[in-house]
């Protein structure tokens, strides 16, 4: 198992060409609206996404794609791929999911080619949501599910903390404190998602969803979502 998770470290690093730096998941509007002004508020906002929001669903979708890919179940892959797009509740959330997902598939097919990616393309030739793409790749490369879920969750939070730093909500040190504070919740979310199925999908983060919708018409902005 030595070095088994090295591919995840590469795929989920800011250097991997998926363009995650361009998205704030609605944080930019929340900052402009005055919802987010400090580290405490940011930690609470992100914790809600972990427990009840987009990350919870992304981890469930990731796990479903991981299992379907490992079993070679094209019908299940199609179902996960379609459902992941249907769950995007705003134009920008869909943009965020498929732009990164499509970029991930292209980049990994060129640099880390594996039969699982070709199987995903064959099963679902349309736009691919990011968690589905990474889940299928992790399965194809024989990476353990729980560790893969934890890495994906951490990358999600770290990217949003980076966005918060660029917006001026927190400084770099406070941003790292927020990540450290959320680490136990990320582990627990990964453990839960490992045992969940598509019937467990759902969420309740109305302010975050509203932020995503409002950001579509925000006049001055740095991010695409």
């Amino acid at each position: 198992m030595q070095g088994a998770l090295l591919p995840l470290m590469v795929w989920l690093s800011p250097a991997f060409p998926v363009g995650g730096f361009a998205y704030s998941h609605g944080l930019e509007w929340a900052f402009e609206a005055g919802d987010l002004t400090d580290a405490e508020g940011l930690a609470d906002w992100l914790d809600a996404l972990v427990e009840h929001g987009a990350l919870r669903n992304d981890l469930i979708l990731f796990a479903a794609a991981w299992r379907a890919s490992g079993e070679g179940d094209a019908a299940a892959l199609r179902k996960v791929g379609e459902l992941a797009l249907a769950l995007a509740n705003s134009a920008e959330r869909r943009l965020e999911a498929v732009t990164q997902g499509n970029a991930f598939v292209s980049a990994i097919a060129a640099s880390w080619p594996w039969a699982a990616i070709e199987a995903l393309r064959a099963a679902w030739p349309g736009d691919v949501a990011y968690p589905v793409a990474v889940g299928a790749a992790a399965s194809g490369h024989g990476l353990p599910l729980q560790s893969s879920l934890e890495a994906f969750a951490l990358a999600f939070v770290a990217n949003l903390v980076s966005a918060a730093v660029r917006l001026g909500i927190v400084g770099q040190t406070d941003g790292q404190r927020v990540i450290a504070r959320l680490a136990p919740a990320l582990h627990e979310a990964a453990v839960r998602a490992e045992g969940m199925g598509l019937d467990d999908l759902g969420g309740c983060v109305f302010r975050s969803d509203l932020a995503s919708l409002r950001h579509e018409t925000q006049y001055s902005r740095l991010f695409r979502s």
Side-chain angles (χ1 to χ4, degrees):
M1 288 295 290
Q2 185 174 7
L5 298 181
L6 288 177
L8 280 171
M9 297 179 188
V10 176
W11 303 343
L12 298 174
S13 92
F16 204 71
V18 300
F21 62 87
Y23 304 95
S24 81
H25 203 73
L27 289 186
E28 188 167 26
W29 182 84
F31 173 60
E32 181 170 294
D35 289 355
L36 294 177
T37 59
D38 56 21
E40 186 68 25
L42 177 64
D44 287 345
W45 185 281
L46 296 180
D47 185 61
L49 296 181
V50 174
E51 298 291 336
H52 309 292
L55 182 57
R56 178 184 185 275
N57 284 338
D58 280 356
L59 293 179
I60 294 172
L61 293 166
F62 186 115
W66 187 93
R67 287 190 289 266
S69 180
E71 294 166 1
D73 190 336
L77 268 178
R78 283 195 300 272
K79 182 177 181 179
V80 177
E82 183 176 17
L83 187 55
L85 299 186
L87 285 171
N89 53 12
S90 71
E92 288 190 354
R93 288 279 170 83
R94 182 184 175 96
L95 176 72
E96 185 177 312
V98 303
T99 304
Q100 293 183 85
N102 292 340
F104 181 88
V105 168
S106 296
I108 203 167
S111 56
W112 297 72
W114 203 257
I117 290 301
E118 297 309 317
L120 174 62
R121 283 172 155 173
W124 184 251
D127 288 330
V128 181
Y130 188 43
V132 174
V134 183
S139 179
H141 282 264
L143 303 180
L145 179 54
Q146 184 180 322
S147 297
S148 298
L149 289 168
E150 288 180 350
F152 186 85
L154 178 61
F156 176 92
V157 167
N159 190 63
L160 294 190
V161 167
S162 175
V165 170
R166 282 174 282 160
L167 288 167
I169 299 171
V170 293
Q172 291 181 335
T173 300
D174 276 344
Q176 291 304 309
R177 290 192 182 106
V178 169
I179 294 173
R181 172 175 166 178
L182 292 175
L186 297 177
H187 169 72
E188 292 169 8
V191 171
R192 288 195 301 269
E194 187 176 16
M196 290 180 174
L198 297 180
D199 288 343
D200 296 300
L201 288 165
C204 184
V205 283
F206 296 124
R207 194 65 177 172
S208 175
D209 293 341
L210 179 62
S212 178
L213 293 165
R214 293 289 192 185
H215 189 267
E216 293 176 7
T217 57
Q218 188 169 333
Y219 177 70
S220 178
R221 57 187 189 172
L222 297 173
F223 298 94
R224 299 185 71 188
S225 73

